[in-house]
Amino acid sequence: MSLKILHIVRTPLTVRAFMKPLLTEHHRRGHQVELAYAPDPQVDDDFGVPVHPYPLQRSLSPWGLIQAIRNLKDIIVKGKYDVVVPHMVLAGMVGRWAYAQAGCPGKLLYVSHGLPCYPHSPPWKRWATRHLEQWFSRYQQGMIVLNQNDYQIAQSFKHDQTYLLNTIGIDIDSITQRAQQVDVATYRDIMGLSHDYPLICYAGRFIEAKGVDQFIRIAHQVLQQGAKAHFVIAGTGPLEGFLQTYIKQHHLAEHIDLLGWTDETIELFAASDVMCFPTRYEGAPIVVQEAMAAGALVLTSDVPGPIDLIDHDETGLIAPAGDIQGFVKQLVEILSQPERQQRIVEQARLKAQEFDVKLWAPRWVDVIEETARG
């Protein structure tokens, strides 16, 4: 069965980070796949498939949303797709509304990379976003979620078929090869980092939901306790100014480096002792899976997503979300216990084999085909 499929995302960064293996699997099965996203001049968007640009910014501007919905409606009507697949919260909402405005042609499979009604959000936000998601669910025939918490919520909507897929998959072979090629001493020389101190890193968007504001406070308190360590923060986002100001005000420039956006996160993980990720909101974080595969010990929050990927003290460490002291305590302890750290890292590498994209990309396309069959 050859299908015509439209994937809707907000930016090409989502395609590059999550979806390239899906495109490969689509083509292997003979499907015709197209993409819709808002172009980003900073991201290479040559994915080898037809692309339909539409205007969608990270904003709730009514006029901007209306324009995006109108454009998507025209794309869906003209494309005559068998399956429309919107991804993530914002593109998922405008994509489903555009599909409804187009008359619900074909089938729609919504991919939630983390429902916005997450446990650590304010109660009013949980209530509002849950009802909003339930209302939009009437326009979808299927839904993919990435963790148990979201699965339980999605099943209560009762408008569609819900699928739990624990990851979109990571390229284990490539990550392992890249990690093995990293010479830690040379990498630290290039980055201007000390050979004598443990390296703790963060990688992700500089937004509150990802906990980068907490990471820098955790780093500060670890240093205040006299622990010898160096911290590296990789990424970009709205909180970059806050991070720069915090480092300057607390005289931390010798101990904390801001790398900016990098395509070499695997190399960073391979050279790091710990990847500390105090996130508040996730689906099934790829960054956690990649760090496990690359050989960094992962310390992250007890939120849906990470707790589906990690067993505490076996394949990583879990601390209560928002508990800066809890993160500091665990970080200081693990840095002083090299044998325990090595044991967890080895177990995490084995666990990461379960996230191999060669296993998961076919499962995702199976679900898309099942949705098309109804």
Side-chain angles (χ1 to χ4, degrees):
M1 175 177 61
S2 177
L3 300 174
K4 188 176 184 183
I5 302 164
L6 176 69
H7 286 277
I8 301 173
V9 296
R10 195 181 67 84
T11 73
L13 183 61
T14 304
V15 183
R16 190 174 70 175
F18 300 116
M19 293 175 52
K20 291 181 74 174
L22 285 185
L23 302 183
T24 300
E25 183 66 15
H26 280 315
H27 290 151
R28 190 186 70 80
R29 299 194 188 189
H31 299 320
Q32 179 184 345
V33 60
E34 300 179 2
L35 299 170
Y37 54 67
D40 185 340
Q42 297 180 337
V43 180
D44 176 19
D45 60 355
D46 184 14
F47 300 117
V49 299
V51 171
H52 304 281
Y54 74 101
L56 181 63
Q57 304 303 317
R58 191 182 290 271
S59 167
L60 295 180
S61 160
W63 177 243
L65 294 177
I66 290 171
Q67 287 292 97
I69 291 167
R70 285 177 175 173
N71 276 254
L72 277 177
K73 173 193 171 183
D74 291 341
I75 293 168
I76 293 170
V77 169
K78 292 176 183 177
K80 298 181 179 178
Y81 301 100
D82 298 297
V83 187
V84 175
V85 190
H87 294 254
M88 298 188 171
V89 176
L90 194 53
M93 288 184 177
V94 299
R96 284 177 286 180
W97 188 237
Y99 173 79
Q101 292 294 302
C104 300
K107 302 292 175 62
L108 186 140
L109 175 69
Y110 170 49
V111 180
S112 167
H113 296 259
L115 285 173
C117 38
Y118 54 98
H120 295 277
S121 59
W124 68 267
K125 184 177 181 181
R126 279 203 307 277
W127 182 90
T129 53
R130 180 172 183 142
H131 282 76
L132 193 60
E133 283 289 344
Q134 184 169 14
W135 188 82
F136 274 111
S137 71
R138 70 188 63 204
Y139 300 119
Q140 62 202 36
Q141 286 73 51
M143 180 177 185
I144 294 176
V145 295
L146 303 180
N147 60 65
Q148 288 286 349
N149 177 78
D150 289 0
Y151 183 69
Q152 292 173 3
I153 294 173
Q155 282 191 309
S156 71
F157 297 161
K158 300 179 180 178
H159 289 303
D160 57 13
Q161 175 68 45
T162 304
Y163 303 89
L164 173 59
L165 301 176
N166 295 115
T167 177
I168 203 165
I170 57 174
D171 190 340
I172 288 291
D173 292 340
S174 173
I175 292 171
T176 301
Q177 183 180 20
R178 288 170 61 184
Q180 289 174 343
Q181 291 174 347
V182 174
D183 180 273
V184 175
T186 302
Y187 181 90
R188 294 193 181 190
D189 283 338
I190 294 172
M191 302 301 294
L193 304 172
S194 170
H195 292 205
D196 302 323
Y197 296 163
L199 182 63
I200 296 94
C201 71
Y202 167 96
R205 277 189 54 77
F206 294 170
I207 56 177
E208 184 177 336
K210 298 296 182 180
V212 68
D213 57 317
Q214 295 191 114
F215 176 87
I216 201 165
R217 293 186 173 95
I218 292 165
H220 190 193
Q221 292 195 26
V222 168
L223 294 167
Q224 285 181 323
Q225 292 192 14
K228 302 297 185 181
H230 200 100
F231 295 84
V232 173
I233 306 176
T236 58
L239 292 182
E240 187 166 354
F242 162 79
L243 298 175
Q244 293 170 341
T245 301
Y246 192 100
I247 291 171
K248 183 177 181 180
Q249 287 180 343
H250 297 279
H251 311 289
L252 298 172
E254 292 184 5
H255 305 285
I256 303 178
D257 286 335
L258 295 178
L259 294 186
W261 179 260
T262 177
D263 287 323
E264 298 182 350
T265 53
I266 302 303
E267 288 73 15
L268 174 61
F269 296 150
S272 298
D273 295 273
V274 179
M275 198 282 281
C276 180
F277 192 54
T279 182
R280 298 177 174 95
Y281 165 56
E282 292 296 332
I286 292 293
V287 69
V288 167
Q289 300 169 51
E290 290 179 337
M292 293 169 69
L297 185 145
V298 175
L299 167 59
T300 187
S301 309
D302 63 343
V303 298
I307 61 174
D308 294 69
L309 302 173
I310 286 179
D311 295 317
H312 177 67
D313 204 34
E314 293 185 17
T315 55
L317 297 176
I318 301 289
D323 182 2
I324 291 177
Q325 291 300 323
F327 273 87
V328 171
K329 181 176 182 292
Q330 293 213 46
L331 194 50
V332 171
E333 285 181 355
I334 199 64
L335 292 178
S336 66
Q337 299 170 340
E339 292 183 359
R340 179 183 172 217
Q341 180 179 335
Q342 186 59 34
R343 171 181 61 80
I344 294 174
V345 166
E346 291 174 358
Q347 289 295 111
R349 279 201 178 107
L350 292 175
K351 176 70 174 180
Q353 299 295 320
E354 299 176 10
F355 310 142
D356 194 342
V357 71
K358 291 192 295 293
L359 303 174
W360 287 97
R363 297 183 189 180
W364 281 69
V365 180
D366 285 346
V367 168
I368 293 172
E369 291 176 349
E370 184 174 330
T371 301
R373 290 192 298 266

